[in-house]
Every structure is written in C-alpha cells, then in structure tokens.
C-alpha cells in the first residue's frame, strides 16, 4: 500500500470514501474537498491499494487549539505556519477496516506535523471513539463546542 498526499484528480474518490464513512449530515461534500484541495492539498494523507484510495486523513493547520465548525466549510481558516494540525476526518472504507490503516495514516500526519514544528494534532470524535483515540495517545479535553452534523463531539489533543 502506498501513502501520498492528494491532488485535485482525487476529488471524486475522496468524496466517495467520505460518503461511505460518515452520515450525510457530517460528510464533507465534493465542493468542500475541492476548496480544501485548492488551499492545502499537502494536508491530505491518502492510502492506496492497487491505485484505489481505501483510507485517508485530512485537515488544516491552525493556531486554534480546538476545531470550530466554520473550519470544515471554509478553507481560508488554514494557516500553513499554524501551531496545530487539525484532523477533520479519518476515513477507511468498511471492507478495509481493522487492518491498522487509520493509525498508520494518523502517524504519517503526526510525523509531518512534527517536522513542520507544530505543537501537536487536534481532532474531534464521538464518545464511542474516545478509547480508540486515547489508545493512540490523544487526550480527551471534554465536550467540544462543535455541533457539526448535529452530533455531540469531544475535543482530542495529541501534544508533541
């Protein structure tokens, strides 16, 4: 399997994987991904098998310590020199889950964030995933201010 960053040519595949991984109210749209790819394509980490994107992680760099809902739909919040790597989505197609792909991509994103001199990574997750992210070293900061997709989210931080 190959890990690489994204290109605009990946747009439809990214939207399809996202739609397979998140409820419609939470999933980024093709338009959201197009805007993100125009501004921060190097902040997408894709894992391919035989040329097919089977898992990916994406997000922006920011100086904010938590993710705000506006960030999901407005790529102008990206700060290339930001102190934190925000992770908006951790996506793995259902047939490829439980193979360690998501942790592998998160580690790749974390390594890039370290090399860029960032303080760490931030993300939001639902209660059911708290133990999973804690197992990867993320700390639960409590209920998030995010109400993205009408869900209850928790702010998670991995500080380097």
């Amino acid at each position: 399997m190959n890990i690489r960053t994204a290109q605009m040519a990946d747009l439809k595949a990214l939207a399809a994987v996202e739609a397979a991984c998140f409820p419609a109210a939470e999933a980024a749209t093709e338009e959201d991904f197009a805007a993100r790819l125009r501004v921060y394509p190097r902040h997408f980490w894709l894992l391919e098998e035989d040329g097919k994107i089977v898992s990916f992680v994406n997000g922006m760099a920011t100086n904010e310590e938590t993710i705000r809902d506006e960030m999901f739909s407005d790529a102008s919040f990206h700060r290339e020199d930001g102190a934190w790597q925000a992770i908006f989505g951790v996506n793995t197609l259902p047939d490829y889950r439980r193979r360690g792909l998501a942790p592998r991509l998160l580690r790749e994103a974390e390594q890039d964030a370290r090399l860029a001199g960032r303080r760490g990574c931030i993300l939001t997750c639902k209660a059911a995933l708290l133990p999973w992210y804690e197992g990867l070293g993320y700390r639960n900061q409590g209920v998030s201010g995010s109400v993205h997709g009408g869900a209850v989210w928790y702010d998670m931080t991995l500080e380097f």
Side-chain angles (χ1 to χ4, degrees), residues 18 21-28 66-69 72 87-90 123-130 133 140-156:
E18 178 92 352
C21 295
F22 285 97
E26 298 168 16
T66 59
I67 295 171
R68 292 189 288 132
D69 288 343
F72 292 112
I87 303 292
F88 291 160
V90 178
L123 57 84
T124 59
C125 72
K126 294 178 182 172
L129 288 173
L130 288 169
Y133 283 108
N140 180 357
Q141 304 296 336
V143 175
S144 176
S146 174
V147 293
H148 181 69
V152 175
W153 301 95
Y154 290 81
D155 289 319
M156 304 293 286

Side-chain angles (χ1 to χ4, degrees), residues 9-154:
D10 299 314
L11 181 59
K12 290 199 180 302
L14 292 170
V17 172
E18 178 92 352
C21 295
F22 285 97
E26 298 168 16
T29 65
E30 193 171 311
E31 294 77 25
D32 293 330
F33 282 131
R36 293 175 191 181
L37 287 168
R38 281 192 288 276
V39 178
Y40 50 88
R42 292 181 302 124
H43 295 264
F44 280 73
W45 295 268
L46 285 55
L47 198 143
E48 295 177 311
E49 182 176 72
D50 299 324
K52 175 183 177 180
I53 298 170
V54 298
S55 186
F56 75 92
V57 167
N58 78 107
M60 68 172 54
T62 181
N63 286 316
E64 299 186 36
E65 294 185 0
T66 59
I67 295 171
R68 292 189 288 132
D69 288 343
E70 296 84 5
M71 293 174 172
F72 292 112
S73 60
D74 188 346
S76 73
F77 282 101
H78 173 71
R79 298 291 174 262
E80 189 57 41
D81 63 349
W84 298 94
Q85 176 62 55
I87 303 292
F88 291 160
V90 178
N91 300 267
T92 302
L93 289 173
D95 289 346
Y96 291 84
R97 292 181 183 161
R98 302 199 189 306
R99 297 185 192 181
L101 304 183
R104 185 173 164 194
L105 283 173
L106 281 168
R107 294 297 177 229
E108 188 82 12
E110 293 159 9
Q111 179 62 22
D112 285 355
R114 279 186 182 89
L115 291 172
R118 302 195 202 292
R119 289 183 53 198
C121 294
I122 58 173
L123 57 84
T124 59
C125 72
K126 294 178 182 172
L129 288 173
L130 288 169
W132 190 81
Y133 283 108
E134 288 169 341
L136 295 173
Y138 286 78
R139 285 192 343 254
N140 180 357
Q141 304 296 336
V143 175
S144 176
S146 174
V147 293
H148 181 69
V152 175
W153 301 95
Y154 290 81

